[in-house]
Amino acid sequence: MTNKRIFFLGLIISLFNIFLFQSFAQGPSADPRQFTITGKVIDNELEVPLEYATISIVNVSDPKDLTGGVTNANGEFSIDVKKGTYNIIVEFISYESKTYNNRVIDSDLDLGTIKLGLGSENLDEVVVRAETTQVDVRLDKKIYNIGKDLTTAGGTVSDALNNVPSVTVDIDGGISLRGNENVRILINGKPSAMAGFGDTNVLNQLPADAIERVEVITSPSARYDAEGTAGILNIILRQKETLGFNGSLNLNAGTPANAGVTANLNYRTENFNLFTTTGVRYFDAPGGGYFDTRYFEDSETNYSRIYEDRDIERLNRNFNSNFGMEYFINQKSSITGSIFYRGGEDVDITTNNSDYFMRDEGLALETTRRERQSENDKSWQFSLNYINNFNNEGHKLTADFQYENDSETQFTTIGENILSNPGEIDFALRDENINTTEDQKEYLLQADYVLPFNEDSQFEAGYRGNFENEITNYTLFQEDEQTGELVFNDTLSNNFDYTENVNALYTQYGTKLGNLSFLLGLRLENTQLKGKIESELSDDELEEAFGIPIDTDFDNNYLGLFPTVNLIYEIAEEENITLGYNRRINRPRGWFINPFPSRSSTNNVFQGNPNLRPAFSNAFDLGYLKRWEKLTLTSSVYYQHETDSFERIEDNIAGTNVVRTIPVNLSSNDRTGAELGILYNPADWLRLNSSFNFFKFKTEGEYNGRNYDAENTSWFARFSSKVSLPAKIDWQTNAFYRGASEEVQGTRDGFLSIDLAFSKDIFNDNATLSLNVRDLLNSRKRQSYTITDTYERESEFQWRQGQNFTVSLIYRFNQQKRRQERRGSEDDFEEGEF
C-alpha cells in the first residue's frame, strides 16, 4: 500500500473517530430535520458483506461539514444527517471506491446494496496477506483466519488446530488450550456431533480444509456455555456464498496407508443456498509404547518388575456428510436446516508382550495378550436455525434447535498365552469376549435476542438448554478355568445410564466510551448430573471390589452464577489492550464417572469415579496487540484459580500387581502463564509465524491420606515459515516443541516435532498439488516417569508411529482462487457479536 493511501485511510478513520466522540457527547438528536442514510456494502463477486467499509458524507455547500461511519459485520450502515445536499463516498481498503454525488437529502435515503470490486493494483498484495494465518482481537476472543497451511493438506481438523497459537494437540488426540486440557469444543458456536459429543478424537476424522477460522476464546462472554475451565475453541466451517454452482474436490493418499476424497459443493441463488461437504476416508495408524514398572520391596506384589511392550494396529474407515439449505424468507430473515451424518468402521488390534521378574530370580514369566476390537459408529445431527433482523442496526432474534444421536457398538476378543514360564508361576489365563454398546442422545434449544441502543451500545439476552443422555451396556464373558467355556461374568458386567441436563439464562451489555469498550455479562446455569448403575453387585460389594465408595443411583444438582467482564482499550488504530475476567465450570463426563475399569491390559487399567464433583474456576486475562504494516504482535498474561480440580491419580490395587488410574477431585489448582505471538511478512516471498507460551501450575490436595501437593513449570513454542519459490512452488516448515514438566506423581519429558510441505498450483491455478510429511523426526512421543509409595514406572506412548507422508490434490471449479483467498469476512455464526 502506498504512503498516499495510508495517509488517506488514516485521515478518514481520524475523522470518523472525531464524529463518534461528538455524537456520544451530544447524545441522540431530537431535530426533526434529521434523516437517515442506510445501505449494505458487499464484495461484487463473492457476494459477501464487507465489514468496516468506510462511509464518508460531505456537505456540498460546506465541505468542512463531514460525517460518516463504518459498516457492521453484516456490511450494513445507518447514518443520520441534516437536510441538505451531499456527496457520499463508500470505500474499503484495497477495493475501488464508489461515489454518489449531489444527493439531495430531505427524507430517509436507502442506497440499497452497494457492490465494490477489488482494485487490480492491489490484488497480489492482498493475496499475500491472506495466505498466512491472521489474527483479529475482539472483546471476548481472538480470531485466527486459517491461511493456506500446506502441512495440513490432506490432514484433519486436529492437524489444523495444532498450528493455532495457544492450542496443542497431544499424541492421543487430546486438545489443550494454554496447557489446560479442559477446553470446550464448539462447531459454528454450538456443541455438535461433528466434535463427537466432546470426544476430540472424532476431529481426526474431519478434513482440515473444511475450516474457515478458529476462535480462541480464553475469556468467554456470558453468551457462551460456562463449560470448560481453560476456555472455548469455536471451529467455524467454510460456507461458500458465491452465486451459482461452485465447489472443490480434494483427493489425498499417503503412507502409512491412508486415502480420502472430500467434495465441497455449493449452489446459491437469490432465494436459497444449498451446500454440502461429503467425504470418505481410509487410514491405518500404527501406534504403541511400553510400560516399565518396578515395585518397591514393601509392595504387596511378588514381582520386582513388570515390563509391558504394547503394539497397536488401527484400521479406520469412515464417511462424513453435511448437507444443508438456507432459505431467505425476505431481506431480513432466513431459515437454515442441515443434516450431518458420520459412519465409521474401525478395527484395532493391540498386542501386549509382558515380562515378569521375581526378586533376586530374574525373568520368571513371559506372556502375550492380544486384543481385537471392532467398532461400528453411527452419528447424525439435525439442526434448524432461524434469524430475523428487525432492522439494519443489529436488532435481531435468533432461534436454534438441534438433535443429535450417536450409537456405537464394540465387540472385543482377548486372548492370552504363556510364551515361557521358567519360574513355574501359577498364572491364570482367561480368554475374554466383551460386548459394549453406547447410545447417546442430545437436544439443544437456544434463543438469543440482540438490541442495540445506538451505534456504540448493545444489550443481549438469551436461553440455552442442553439435554444429554448416554446409556452404556457392558457385557463380559470369561473363560472358565475348569471347562474352557466362555461364561457370563456377573461381577463386572453392568449397565450405566447417565444424564446431564443444563439450563442457562444469560444477559450482557456492551458499550463504547471513547477509546474504551466493555462487555459485562451474567450467566445463570443449573446443572443436573444423574446416573444409575445396574449391576449384580450391591453398593457395598462394588466398594469392596473397586476400592472406592459407589452410589449406584445418584442425582446431583448444581446452581451457579457465572459473571464475565471484558474490556478493550484502543491505544491507536492498530494497537489495543484487553482485560477479561470469567468464572467457569468443569463437569465430569460419563467415562470419568463409570466405575467399571477398562480391560485393555492385565496390569494397567483406567477406572472412572462416580463421586466426581464439578470443578469451578475464576480466571483473569490481560492482553496486548500491536499491528505494523508487515508485523502483528499479540501477547497476554493470565491467572486461573480452580477448586475441586480433576487430577488422574495412579495407585497399586492392594494385593495385586495391577496399576490403576482414577480421576479424583483435588482441593485446588492455580495456573499462571504468559504467551507471545508474532506474525511477520518481511517480503512477498516469505511469511513467518511463531508463538511462545509459558505456564506454571500449583496443585494442593490429598487423596486416601496421601499428599499430592505439586508445582509444575513448563512451556511450548511453535514456529512456521512459508517460502514462495519460483515456478509457483510454496515450501512450508512447521516446528513445535513442548518442554518437560513436573506432574502430580512424576515428570514428563519434552519433545520436538517437525512437519514439512510443498505445493504447486497447476491447471491455470484451478488446482493445487501438495506433498507433506508430518513428524519428520518420528519424535512425537509421550515419555513420562511416575513414582508412588509402592512402585516407580517409566513409560512411552506414540499414537501414530513413524513419519506420515501425504500427497493431496485439490481442484476448484467455478471459483477464482485469488479472490476466494482474500476473503476475510466474519460470517455471523455467533449472534450478538459486539
Side-chain angles (χ1 to χ4, degrees):
M1 184 182 296
T2 64
N3 292 334
K4 182 178 179 181
R5 290 197 182 104
I6 294 175
F7 173 78
F8 181 71
L9 179 62
L11 176 62
I12 293 296
I13 295 176
S14 299
L15 292 172
F16 172 59
N17 287 337
I18 294 173
F19 165 74
L20 282 181
F21 177 79
Q22 291 175 342
S23 299
F24 182 82
Q26 295 173 359
S29 174
D31 189 339
R33 292 175 296 175
Q34 289 270 335
F35 303 102
T36 303
I37 301 175
T38 58
K40 181 176 182 178
V41 183
I42 66 173
D43 182 293
N44 71 334
E45 184 175 325
L46 297 181
E47 302 280 346
V48 296
L50 296 178
E51 187 179 5
Y52 300 120
T54 304
I55 317 300
S56 303
I57 303 176
V58 184
N59 194 322
V60 173
S61 59
D62 182 9
K64 294 182 179 180
D65 183 8
L66 298 174
T67 189
V70 295
T71 55
N72 61 18
N74 296 319
E76 300 162 344
F77 65 89
S78 177
I79 304 167
D80 293 333
V81 298
K82 298 179 181 180
K83 180 179 180 180
T85 303
Y86 297 89
N87 293 333
I88 305 172
I89 306 168
V90 182
E91 298 173 293
F92 190 69
I93 187 170
S94 301
Y95 283 69
E96 295 177 347
S97 62
K98 183 165 289 189
T99 303
Y100 302 85
N101 289 325
N102 299 314
R103 288 299 180 102
V104 178
I105 306 299
D106 54 10
S107 62
D108 292 345
L109 173 64
D110 185 359
L111 294 175
T113 300
I114 304 168
K115 298 182 178 182
L116 300 185
L118 187 66
S120 58
E121 69 277 13
N122 296 314
L123 182 59
D124 291 336
E125 178 185 8
V126 176
V127 170
V128 169
R129 291 187 61 198
E131 283 188 342
T132 186
T133 299
Q134 301 176 64
V135 60
D136 182 23
V137 174
R138 298 289 181 90
L139 267 170
D140 56 353
K141 71 185 73 172
K142 291 179 182 176
I143 301 172
Y144 292 92
N145 293 293
I146 302 300
K148 185 183 175 185
D149 193 334
L150 307 182
T151 59
T152 62
T156 66
V157 169
S158 291
D159 296 321
L161 288 178
N162 208 32
N163 292 330
V164 174
S166 305
V167 180
T168 55
V169 182
D170 66 21
I171 57 175
D172 301 317
I175 298 173
S176 300
L177 182 58
R178 292 173 169 175
N180 189 343
E181 295 180 353
N182 184 228
V183 56
R184 178 72 157 164
I185 307 295
L186 302 178
I187 304 290
N188 294 342
K190 304 176 184 67
S192 173
M194 297 184 191
F197 299 99
D199 179 7
T200 56
N201 284 326
V202 175
L203 299 178
N204 284 318
Q205 302 177 15
L206 299 177
D209 61 0
I211 298 180
E212 174 78 18
R213 65 182 186 272
V214 176
E215 297 178 348
V216 179
I217 311 172
T218 53
S219 183
S221 66
R223 76 167 65 95
Y224 295 103
D225 183 3
E227 170 73 23
T229 55
I232 295 171
L233 287 180
N234 186 22
I235 301 170
I236 304 299
L237 303 181
R238 296 187 187 277
Q239 185 176 4
K240 307 294 190 302
E241 301 205 16
T242 307
L243 287 173
F245 180 68
N246 59 89
S248 64
L249 182 66
N250 193 344
L251 309 174
N252 62 80
T255 181
N258 72 86
V261 179
T262 301
N264 295 284
L265 305 176
N266 191 87
Y267 179 70
R268 185 183 179 96
T269 70
E270 296 291 343
N271 297 321
F272 63 86
N273 184 33
L274 293 172
F275 54 90
T276 182
T277 299
T278 300
V280 294
R281 189 164 183 254
Y282 166 93
F283 67 94
D284 184 10
Y290 69 84
F291 298 89
D292 188 357
T293 307
R294 297 178 292 274
Y295 297 90
F296 301 142
E297 291 187 3
D298 57 352
S299 65
E300 298 184 18
T301 179
N302 294 323
Y303 300 109
S304 62
R305 179 187 178 194
I306 299 177
Y307 183 90
E308 179 181 323
D309 184 79
R310 181 179 300 182
D311 290 317
I312 305 174
E313 300 176 29
R314 300 186 188 90
L315 180 63
N316 294 269
R317 293 159 291 184
N318 55 71
F319 170 81
N320 297 280
S321 183
N322 182 38
F323 177 81
M325 175 180 177
E326 181 179 11
Y327 176 72
F328 306 102
I329 301 172
N330 51 49
Q331 290 186 346
K332 296 184 181 299
S333 62
S334 67
I335 187 168
T336 302
S338 65
I339 296 177
F340 170 78
Y341 173 81
R342 181 184 69 248
E345 295 182 4
D346 304 337
V347 177
D348 294 350
I349 299 176
T350 302
T351 302
N352 291 330
N353 293 310
S354 300
D355 296 337
Y356 297 79
F357 297 83
M358 301 291 289
R359 302 188 189 282
D360 303 323
E361 296 182 16
L363 180 64
L365 177 69
E366 290 180 286
T367 67
T368 182
R369 175 185 171 94
R370 188 174 185 270
E371 173 186 328
R372 186 183 189 277
Q373 181 182 89
S374 59
E375 178 180 318
N376 290 304
D377 180 73
K378 294 181 180 179
S379 300
W380 67 276
Q381 168 186 297
F382 171 74
S383 61
L384 198 63
N385 167 264
Y386 170 77
I387 179 171
N388 181 52
N389 294 288
F390 296 100
N391 55 34
N392 294 328
E393 286 76 45
H395 185 196
K396 67 176 68 174
L397 173 68
T398 62
D400 294 272
F401 169 77
Q402 189 168 283
Y403 170 74
E404 305 173 8
N405 178 268
D406 180 80
S407 60
E408 182 178 292
T409 302
Q410 292 181 350
F411 179 69
T412 304
T413 60
I414 299 176
E416 194 163 16
N417 297 307
I418 294 178
L419 300 179
S420 68
N421 192 359
E424 299 183 354
I425 304 298
D426 183 13
F427 191 84
L429 296 177
R430 287 189 179 184
D431 291 346
E432 297 180 358
N433 284 354
I434 303 171
N435 290 304
T436 305
T437 61
E438 295 181 4
D439 186 74
Q440 186 166 0
K441 295 180 175 62
E442 184 171 352
Y443 296 87
L444 169 71
L445 295 173
Q446 181 174 337
D448 297 276
Y449 177 72
V450 182
L451 176 64
F453 294 124
N454 52 50
E455 193 173 274
D456 295 328
S457 302
Q458 179 172 291
F459 167 81
E460 296 181 46
Y463 163 80
R464 174 181 284 189
N466 276 90
F467 311 98
E468 178 183 346
N469 176 256
E470 178 182 0
I471 298 176
T472 303
N473 189 10
Y474 179 91
T475 305
L476 172 64
F477 293 86
Q478 287 183 311
E479 181 183 3
D480 184 275
E481 296 182 20
Q482 302 299 325
T483 65
E485 296 181 353
L486 293 173
V487 297
F488 177 71
N489 184 315
D490 58 1
T491 301
L492 294 177
S493 298
N494 67 94
N495 184 279
F496 184 42
D497 189 336
Y498 178 71
T499 298
E500 177 181 302
N501 296 327
V502 181
N503 286 278
L505 295 170
Y506 82 91
T507 182
Q508 63 183 19
Y509 173 76
T511 191
K512 182 175 183 180
L513 302 174
N515 291 332
L516 177 66
S517 300
F518 65 82
L519 186 61
L520 307 178
L522 183 64
R523 189 177 186 91
L524 174 68
E525 285 195 356
N526 176 258
T527 301
Q528 181 189 38
L529 304 179
K530 183 169 63 173
K532 185 175 183 179
I533 301 172
E534 295 181 359
S535 170
E536 297 294 329
L537 303 181
S538 66
D539 289 9
D540 292 339
E541 290 172 328
L542 285 171
E543 178 176 350
E544 182 178 353
F546 298 143
I548 56 175
I550 294 177
D551 185 356
T552 56
D553 191 356
F554 60 89
D555 187 351
N556 301 319
N557 281 267
Y558 306 90
L559 182 67
L561 284 173
F562 301 90
T564 61
V565 178
N566 288 283
L567 309 174
I568 183 169
Y569 181 76
E570 300 288 342
I571 301 173
E573 177 189 346
E574 301 290 347
E575 185 178 13
N576 61 59
I577 295 176
T578 58
L579 176 64
Y581 161 77
N582 64 88
R583 186 170 187 259
R584 310 288 293 165
I585 185 175
N586 181 11
R587 305 180 185 95
R589 309 302 297 178
W591 73 289
F592 256 42
I593 293 179
N594 193 337
F596 289 85
S598 66
R599 300 187 58 77
S600 58
S601 170
T602 301
N603 305 307
N604 299 278
V605 300
F606 176 87
Q607 179 182 344
N609 182 0
N611 305 306
L612 277 182
R613 303 179 302 276
F616 293 88
S617 72
N618 292 277
F620 299 85
D621 189 289
L622 178 64
Y624 171 77
L625 177 139
K626 172 69 175 177
R627 288 190 182 95
W628 292 270
E629 182 177 357
K630 297 182 178 181
L631 176 69
T632 298
L633 170 70
T634 61
S635 61
S636 65
V637 293
Y638 52 89
Y639 169 76
Q640 180 188 78
H641 176 71
E642 184 176 1
T643 57
D644 281 340
S645 62
F646 302 165
E647 298 290 346
R648 300 187 189 191
I649 302 298
E650 292 186 4
D651 60 8
N652 182 206
I653 298 179
T656 73
N657 51 272
V658 177
V659 175
R660 175 182 63 177
T661 301
I662 184 171
V664 301
N665 292 105
L666 288 183
S667 60
S668 69
N669 189 341
D670 289 296
R671 286 179 176 266
T672 56
E675 60 182 350
L676 177 69
I678 296 177
L679 303 174
Y680 182 43
N681 301 334
D684 291 347
W685 55 270
L686 178 62
R687 290 165 291 282
L688 305 175
N689 182 354
S690 64
S691 62
F692 176 81
N693 196 304
F694 171 86
F695 55 90
K696 177 181 180 180
F697 76 76
K698 180 180 180 181
T699 300
E700 295 181 350
E702 65 175 37
Y703 177 69
N704 282 346
R706 179 176 178 180
N707 185 282
Y708 286 95
D709 292 356
E711 292 190 20
N712 171 35
T713 300
S714 188
W715 59 280
F716 62 85
R718 55 168 45 90
F719 173 80
S720 175
S721 67
K722 186 176 179 184
V723 180
S724 296
L725 302 173
K728 294 185 178 180
I729 297 176
D730 287 333
W731 165 29
Q732 183 171 324
T733 303
N734 286 356
F736 175 83
Y737 182 80
R738 176 160 189 151
S741 63
E742 296 284 338
E743 303 296 311
V744 173
Q745 292 178 280
T747 60
R748 184 178 59 187
D749 295 344
F751 68 86
L752 171 68
S753 178
I754 297 178
D755 301 334
L756 291 179
F758 297 87
S759 79
K760 177 175 173 55
D761 293 330
I762 57 178
F763 302 148
N764 295 323
D765 292 345
N766 289 319
T768 301
L769 181 65
S770 302
L771 169 66
N772 67 61
V773 54
R774 301 189 187 96
D775 198 8
L776 178 68
L777 305 178
N778 191 27
S779 56
R780 195 170 179 81
K781 303 175 182 178
R782 182 183 64 206
Q783 297 174 315
S784 59
Y785 172 78
T786 303
I787 184 168
T788 71
D789 292 337
T790 57
Y791 67 90
E792 62 178 353
R793 181 170 71 180
E794 295 179 358
S795 64
E796 177 182 291
F797 185 75
Q798 191 173 17
W799 175 258
R800 185 170 53 191
Q801 292 179 333
Q803 297 86 352
N804 181 262
F805 296 88
T806 303
V807 177
S808 177
L809 173 68
I810 180 170
Y811 180 79
R812 298 168 290 273
F813 53 92
N814 294 339
Q815 296 180 11
Q816 294 190 16
K817 173 177 174 285
R818 287 175 176 257
R819 297 215 168 184
Q820 182 186 0
E821 286 183 351
R822 66 168 158 80
R823 176 185 174 190
S825 66
E826 300 300 329
D827 299 343
D828 215 6
F829 287 100
E830 294 299 329
E831 304 305 330
E833 287 286 359
F834 179 74

